[in-house]
mmCIF file of all heavy atoms in Angstrom:
data_model
loop_
_atom_site.group_PDB
_atom_site.id
_atom_site.type_symbol
_atom_site.label_atom_id
_atom_site.label_comp_id
_atom_site.label_asym_id
_atom_site.label_seq_id
_atom_site.Cartn_x
_atom_site.Cartn_y
_atom_site.Cartn_z
ATOM 1 N N ILE A 369 15.096 -81.052 -103.312
ATOM 2 C CA ILE A 369 13.810 -81.254 -103.977
ATOM 3 C C ILE A 369 13.195 -82.598 -103.585
ATOM 4 O O ILE A 369 13.813 -83.652 -103.719
ATOM 5 C CB ILE A 369 13.942 -81.166 -105.508
ATOM 6 C CG1 ILE A 369 14.687 -79.895 -105.912
ATOM 7 C CG2 ILE A 369 12.560 -81.258 -106.167
ATOM 8 C CD1 ILE A 369 14.015 -78.613 -105.446
ATOM 9 N N ARG A 370 11.937 -82.537 -103.087
ATOM 10 C CA ARG A 370 11.176 -83.736 -102.742
ATOM 11 C C ARG A 370 10.238 -84.044 -103.893
ATOM 12 O O ARG A 370 9.512 -83.161 -104.359
ATOM 13 C CB ARG A 370 10.371 -83.464 -101.473
ATOM 14 C CG ARG A 370 9.511 -84.612 -100.958
ATOM 15 C CD ARG A 370 8.751 -84.097 -99.728
ATOM 16 N NE ARG A 370 8.036 -85.173 -99.028
ATOM 17 C CZ ARG A 370 6.774 -85.494 -99.199
ATOM 18 N NH1 ARG A 370 6.070 -84.868 -100.132
ATOM 19 N NH2 ARG A 370 6.221 -86.444 -98.491
ATOM 20 N N PRO A 371 10.218 -85.285 -104.414
ATOM 21 C CA PRO A 371 9.397 -85.606 -105.582
ATOM 22 C C PRO A 371 7.904 -85.487 -105.261
ATOM 23 O O PRO A 371 7.466 -85.605 -104.121
ATOM 24 C CB PRO A 371 9.793 -87.032 -105.916
ATOM 25 C CG PRO A 371 10.305 -87.588 -104.636
ATOM 26 C CD PRO A 371 10.969 -86.470 -103.915
ATOM 27 N N GLY A 372 7.134 -85.264 -106.328
ATOM 28 C CA GLY A 372 5.675 -85.196 -106.223
ATOM 29 C C GLY A 372 5.048 -86.282 -107.049
ATOM 30 O O GLY A 372 5.713 -87.120 -107.659
ATOM 31 N N ARG A 373 3.715 -86.270 -107.121
ATOM 32 C CA ARG A 373 2.968 -87.267 -107.875
ATOM 33 C C ARG A 373 3.233 -87.110 -109.373
ATOM 34 O O ARG A 373 3.297 -88.064 -110.124
ATOM 35 C CB ARG A 373 1.460 -87.077 -107.575
ATOM 36 C CG ARG A 373 0.620 -88.197 -108.133
ATOM 37 C CD ARG A 373 -0.862 -88.019 -107.667
ATOM 38 N NE ARG A 373 -0.966 -88.216 -106.217
ATOM 39 C CZ ARG A 373 -1.335 -87.298 -105.359
ATOM 40 N NH1 ARG A 373 -1.578 -86.068 -105.766
ATOM 41 N NH2 ARG A 373 -1.432 -87.566 -104.082
ATOM 42 N N SER A 374 3.394 -85.848 -109.801
ATOM 43 C CA SER A 374 3.679 -85.553 -111.209
ATOM 44 C C SER A 374 5.043 -84.863 -111.303
ATOM 45 O O SER A 374 5.488 -84.193 -110.347
ATOM 46 C CB SER A 374 2.586 -84.646 -111.801
ATOM 47 O OG SER A 374 1.307 -85.237 -111.670
ATOM 48 N N SER A 375 5.672 -84.994 -112.451
ATOM 49 C CA SER A 375 6.927 -84.311 -112.641
ATOM 50 C C SER A 375 6.681 -82.841 -113.032
ATOM 51 O O SER A 375 5.601 -82.480 -113.469
ATOM 52 C CB SER A 375 7.749 -85.001 -113.735
ATOM 53 O OG SER A 375 7.016 -85.002 -114.970
ATOM 54 N N GLY A 376 7.718 -82.041 -112.850
ATOM 55 C CA GLY A 376 7.605 -80.615 -113.167
ATOM 56 C C GLY A 376 8.472 -79.819 -112.249
ATOM 57 O O GLY A 376 9.041 -80.357 -111.267
ATOM 58 N N PRO A 377 8.651 -78.515 -112.507
ATOM 59 C CA PRO A 377 9.431 -77.681 -111.634
ATOM 60 C C PRO A 377 8.867 -77.671 -110.224
ATOM 61 O O PRO A 377 7.623 -77.716 -110.057
ATOM 62 C CB PRO A 377 9.371 -76.298 -112.278
ATOM 63 C CG PRO A 377 9.021 -76.568 -113.719
ATOM 64 C CD PRO A 377 8.141 -77.792 -113.683
ATOM 65 N N PRO A 378 9.716 -77.590 -109.194
ATOM 66 C CA PRO A 378 9.200 -77.642 -107.827
ATOM 67 C C PRO A 378 8.674 -76.284 -107.345
ATOM 68 O O PRO A 378 9.081 -75.227 -107.799
ATOM 69 C CB PRO A 378 10.451 -78.019 -107.025
ATOM 70 C CG PRO A 378 11.586 -77.419 -107.811
ATOM 71 C CD PRO A 378 11.179 -77.567 -109.250
ATOM 72 N N THR A 379 7.722 -76.360 -106.420
ATOM 73 C CA THR A 379 7.326 -75.188 -105.644
ATOM 74 C C THR A 379 8.232 -75.123 -104.450
ATOM 75 O O THR A 379 8.331 -76.094 -103.691
ATOM 76 C CB THR A 379 5.853 -75.312 -105.193
ATOM 77 O OG1 THR A 379 5.028 -75.438 -106.356
ATOM 78 C CG2 THR A 379 5.426 -74.086 -104.393
ATOM 79 N N CYS A 380 8.913 -73.982 -104.255
ATOM 80 C CA CYS A 380 10.001 -73.950 -103.275
ATOM 81 C C CYS A 380 9.812 -72.930 -102.170
ATOM 82 O O CYS A 380 9.207 -71.874 -102.378
ATOM 83 C CB CYS A 380 11.337 -73.672 -103.976
ATOM 84 S SG CYS A 380 11.914 -75.042 -104.980
ATOM 85 N N ALA A 381 10.358 -73.270 -101.005
ATOM 86 C CA ALA A 381 10.571 -72.309 -99.941
ATOM 87 C C ALA A 381 12.073 -72.019 -99.945
ATOM 88 O O ALA A 381 12.895 -72.949 -99.935
ATOM 89 C CB ALA A 381 10.145 -72.905 -98.600
ATOM 90 N N GLY A 382 12.456 -70.740 -99.927
ATOM 91 C CA GLY A 382 13.876 -70.444 -100.003
ATOM 92 C C GLY A 382 14.257 -69.282 -99.118
ATOM 93 O O GLY A 382 13.439 -68.411 -98.809
ATOM 94 N N SER A 383 15.522 -69.292 -98.706
ATOM 95 C CA SER A 383 16.122 -68.156 -97.998
ATOM 96 C C SER A 383 17.626 -68.410 -97.933
ATOM 97 O O SER A 383 18.164 -69.040 -98.855
ATOM 98 C CB SER A 383 15.498 -67.979 -96.615
ATOM 99 O OG SER A 383 15.680 -66.649 -96.148
ATOM 100 N N HIS A 384 18.306 -67.998 -96.874
ATOM 101 C CA HIS A 384 19.761 -68.095 -96.865
ATOM 102 C C HIS A 384 20.310 -68.436 -95.502
ATOM 103 O O HIS A 384 19.662 -68.149 -94.459
ATOM 104 C CB HIS A 384 20.376 -66.774 -97.337
ATOM 105 C CG HIS A 384 19.971 -65.595 -96.507
ATOM 106 N ND1 HIS A 384 20.755 -65.101 -95.465
ATOM 107 C CD2 HIS A 384 18.850 -64.823 -96.522
ATOM 108 C CE1 HIS A 384 20.143 -64.062 -94.920
ATOM 109 N NE2 HIS A 384 18.970 -63.889 -95.518
ATOM 110 N N LEU A 385 21.486 -69.050 -95.469
ATOM 111 C CA LEU A 385 22.160 -69.404 -94.203
ATOM 112 C C LEU A 385 23.323 -68.491 -93.885
ATOM 113 O O LEU A 385 23.878 -68.591 -92.768
ATOM 114 C CB LEU A 385 22.620 -70.871 -94.267
ATOM 115 C CG LEU A 385 21.498 -71.923 -94.251
ATOM 116 C CD1 LEU A 385 22.091 -73.330 -94.490
ATOM 117 C CD2 LEU A 385 20.731 -71.898 -92.929
ATOM 118 N N ASP A 386 23.753 -67.619 -94.803
ATOM 119 C CA ASP A 386 24.852 -66.703 -94.471
ATOM 120 C C ASP A 386 24.284 -65.548 -93.666
ATOM 121 O O ASP A 386 23.085 -65.250 -93.700
ATOM 122 C CB ASP A 386 25.551 -66.199 -95.737
ATOM 123 C CG ASP A 386 24.653 -65.285 -96.589
ATOM 124 O OD1 ASP A 386 23.521 -65.717 -96.886
ATOM 125 O OD2 ASP A 386 25.096 -64.182 -96.924
ATOM 126 N N THR A 387 25.137 -64.895 -92.865
ATOM 127 C CA THR A 387 24.696 -63.828 -91.979
ATOM 128 C C THR A 387 25.588 -62.591 -92.155
ATOM 129 O O THR A 387 26.616 -62.615 -92.840
ATOM 130 C CB THR A 387 24.731 -64.253 -90.500
ATOM 131 O OG1 THR A 387 26.076 -64.245 -90.019
ATOM 132 C CG2 THR A 387 24.134 -65.631 -90.299
ATOM 133 N N GLN A 388 25.198 -61.540 -91.459
ATOM 134 C CA GLN A 388 26.033 -60.339 -91.321
ATOM 135 C C GLN A 388 27.212 -60.664 -90.412
ATOM 136 O O GLN A 388 27.163 -61.620 -89.615
ATOM 137 C CB GLN A 388 25.220 -59.195 -90.750
ATOM 138 C CG GLN A 388 24.194 -58.596 -91.716
ATOM 139 C CD GLN A 388 24.848 -57.799 -92.818
ATOM 140 O OE1 GLN A 388 25.830 -57.126 -92.615
ATOM 141 N NE2 GLN A 388 24.286 -57.903 -94.007
ATOM 142 N N PRO A 389 28.293 -59.850 -90.462
ATOM 143 C CA PRO A 389 29.431 -60.106 -89.579
ATOM 144 C C PRO A 389 29.060 -59.951 -88.102
ATOM 145 O O PRO A 389 29.692 -60.592 -87.232
ATOM 146 C CB PRO A 389 30.475 -59.099 -90.008
ATOM 147 C CG PRO A 389 29.740 -58.075 -90.802
ATOM 148 C CD PRO A 389 28.569 -58.780 -91.433
ATOM 149 N N ALA A 390 28.076 -59.132 -87.810
ATOM 150 C CA ALA A 390 27.566 -59.001 -86.434
ATOM 151 C C ALA A 390 26.044 -59.062 -86.479
ATOM 152 O O ALA A 390 25.347 -58.107 -86.183
ATOM 153 C CB ALA A 390 28.039 -57.685 -85.808
ATOM 154 N N GLY A 391 25.569 -60.219 -86.914
ATOM 155 C CA GLY A 391 24.140 -60.404 -87.133
ATOM 156 C C GLY A 391 23.495 -61.315 -86.123
ATOM 157 O O GLY A 391 24.087 -61.684 -85.086
ATOM 158 N N GLY A 392 22.229 -61.688 -86.398
ATOM 159 C CA GLY A 392 21.483 -62.556 -85.511
ATOM 160 C C GLY A 392 21.200 -63.908 -86.170
ATOM 161 O O GLY A 392 21.596 -64.175 -87.295
ATOM 162 N N ARG A 393 20.455 -64.742 -85.423
ATOM 163 C CA ARG A 393 20.234 -66.121 -85.871
ATOM 164 C C ARG A 393 18.836 -66.351 -86.465
ATOM 165 O O ARG A 393 18.373 -67.500 -86.533
ATOM 166 C CB ARG A 393 20.490 -67.096 -84.753
ATOM 167 C CG ARG A 393 19.684 -66.889 -83.491
ATOM 168 C CD ARG A 393 19.978 -67.981 -82.452
ATOM 169 N NE ARG A 393 21.383 -68.015 -82.127
ATOM 170 C CZ ARG A 393 21.996 -69.067 -81.551
ATOM 171 N NH1 ARG A 393 21.298 -70.140 -81.231
ATOM 172 N NH2 ARG A 393 23.270 -69.050 -81.270
ATOM 173 N N TYR A 394 18.158 -65.300 -86.867
ATOM 174 C CA TYR A 394 16.824 -65.426 -87.433
ATOM 175 C C TYR A 394 16.750 -64.944 -88.875
ATOM 176 O O TYR A 394 15.993 -65.481 -89.671
ATOM 177 C CB TYR A 394 15.782 -64.687 -86.576
ATOM 178 C CG TYR A 394 15.703 -65.275 -85.170
ATOM 179 C CD1 TYR A 394 16.556 -64.820 -84.157
ATOM 180 C CD2 TYR A 394 14.851 -66.300 -84.878
ATOM 181 C CE1 TYR A 394 16.521 -65.348 -82.887
ATOM 182 C CE2 TYR A 394 14.806 -66.854 -83.612
ATOM 183 C CZ TYR A 394 15.631 -66.366 -82.608
ATOM 184 O OH TYR A 394 15.617 -66.917 -81.373
ATOM 185 N N ASP A 395 17.528 -63.958 -89.217
ATOM 186 C CA ASP A 395 17.567 -63.415 -90.576
ATOM 187 C C ASP A 395 18.058 -64.468 -91.543
ATOM 188 O O ASP A 395 19.213 -64.874 -91.518
ATOM 189 C CB ASP A 395 18.501 -62.193 -90.561
ATOM 190 C CG ASP A 395 18.739 -61.597 -91.965
ATOM 191 O OD1 ASP A 395 18.197 -62.101 -92.944
ATOM 192 O OD2 ASP A 395 19.474 -60.580 -92.030
ATOM 193 N N GLY A 396 17.156 -64.985 -92.392
ATOM 194 C CA GLY A 396 17.507 -66.006 -93.382
ATOM 195 C C GLY A 396 17.459 -67.417 -92.818
ATOM 196 O O GLY A 396 16.842 -68.305 -93.436
ATOM 197 N N ILE A 397 18.064 -67.620 -91.685
ATOM 198 C CA ILE A 397 18.135 -68.956 -91.093
ATOM 199 C C ILE A 397 16.742 -69.491 -90.791
ATOM 200 O O ILE A 397 16.444 -70.669 -91.013
ATOM 201 C CB ILE A 397 19.017 -68.955 -89.836
ATOM 202 C CG1 ILE A 397 20.432 -68.471 -90.165
ATOM 203 C CG2 ILE A 397 19.073 -70.329 -89.200
ATOM 204 C CD1 ILE A 397 21.309 -68.229 -88.955
ATOM 205 N N LEU A 398 15.861 -68.627 -90.308
ATOM 206 C CA LEU A 398 14.478 -69.057 -90.054
ATOM 207 C C LEU A 398 13.801 -69.565 -91.318
ATOM 208 O O LEU A 398 13.123 -70.568 -91.296
ATOM 209 C CB LEU A 398 13.686 -67.886 -89.444
ATOM 210 C CG LEU A 398 12.170 -68.146 -89.272
ATOM 211 C CD1 LEU A 398 11.909 -69.328 -88.357
ATOM 212 C CD2 LEU A 398 11.478 -66.897 -88.752
#
Side-chain angles (χ1 to χ4, degrees):
I369 309 302
R370 180 183 189 265
R373 189 174 293 115
S374 304
S375 59
T379 301
C380 289
S383 203
H384 58 97
L385 291 173
D386 68 308
T387 77
Q388 289 287 324
R393 58 176 58 199
Y394 298 88
D395 175 358
I397 301 171
L398 173 60

